[in-house]
Amino acid sequence: MKFTKTAAALALAGIAASPLAQADGHEGGGPVVTLSGYLGIGIVGSDADDIVASDAVEEVLDAAGVVVVEAADAVEASEPGNLKMFGDDSTINLRASQTLNNGMEGYANYRTDFALSGDAGKGDNIHLGMKGDFGDIRIGEVPDAIEYGQMAGDIMKDIGGEERGISYTGTFGGATIGLNWSPVGTLNGDNAGGGSDKIGIGAKFSAGGFGIGVGVGDVNEATVMSVGASYSISGVSLALAFKDDDAEQYLSAKAGWSLGAVSMGLTYEGMQDVGDDTKIRFDAGYDLGDGYRISTRVNMLDADTDVTDYRLLLSADF
């Protein structure tokens, strides 16, 4: 399936231009600015085998010139599974919103992401837009409608996630439709930034605890898609999803349970075509109140490394 990307881009540009044409000046008392953030610090470890030190080895050839011993670099002893401190993408977020002359809400957002140490921070989730009864138009880092069917998590493959482009999202009752377009790159000063030549469209619907979603797109001339369904009742949730990134297919399932401050989740995802890797994740958390939360996670990966990792995390939203 291929999309006419130029036509889609012009359609999105036309949607964006319509409300702009209605505004003929600034009015109102100025923007409402909201400062928020997230901080997560934890300990992570794994059952990865210790690495034994070894000396460098020179290549050895036999009389016929055939390699009988491969060359190898020296290896230092290490214990990669040992417990380590880590920061969980701690952020500071700044958002401004105000009523425009045409009655719609205009908004702008900027976020800075930090590591636990040794990181000056980097900009993320930078976007601006406007929304009203017709829907929400955004430019910058935008939601990706290809992900609408990704309803059971993305512990192995995130089918979407384009961070630069223009999007439209409309919600009508229990139905939501989305459309996004991204050019092949962006300019940051004199440097060309990375990106995908992408067009995506999706729809999702929810009613009575049931939810279904589907998203399709063209990414660098490759067709990608996701389709999923979910159901939740009385603190119990179930979800199933299928994803196809043109090179590989993935099947994922997720079950969740919550009661009061306690929540648990179990997620499975596995390759269905070229590879046969699978991953299982267990999550558990306890809400301490006022934005504070303690949680744990265990990842069991069935792959060449066959490593299980685990973590304990204390986080706060403010």
Side-chain angles (χ1 to χ4, degrees), residues 156-238:
M156 287 188 69
K157 173 66 179 181
D158 185 355
I159 198 67
E162 184 63 61
E163 65 274 16
R164 292 172 287 269
I166 181 171
S167 69
Y168 167 76
T169 306
T171 301
F172 310 95
T176 299
I177 60 172
L179 175 65
N180 55 279
W181 169 74
S182 296
V184 70
T186 59
L187 290 177
N188 182 14
D190 295 329
N191 300 319
S196 299
D197 183 14
K198 172 187 286 190
I199 180 71
I201 186 170
K204 52 187 176 181
F205 177 80
S206 61
F210 287 95
I212 57 173
V214 60
V216 296
D218 187 293
V219 183
N220 296 326
E221 305 302 327
T223 301
V224 299
M225 60 87 66
S226 67
V227 58
S230 65
Y231 178 70
S232 60
I233 184 173
S234 301
V236 177
S237 61
L238 301 170

Side-chain angles (χ1 to χ4, degrees), residues 3 5 64 69 94 116 125 141 143-144 148 197 216 264 284:
F3 292 88
K5 298 178 183 178
V69 177
L94 191 67
L116 182 59
N125 199 19
E141 182 167 338
D144 193 342
Y148 277 14
D197 183 14
V216 296
M264 296 184 183

Side-chain angles (χ1 to χ4, degrees), residues 262-265 282-286 293-298 312-313:
V262 179
S263 62
M264 296 184 183
F282 172 74
D283 287 289
Y286 183 78
R293 177 178 173 83
I294 187 168
S295 62
T296 186
R297 170 175 291 173
V298 180
L312 181 65
L313 179 71

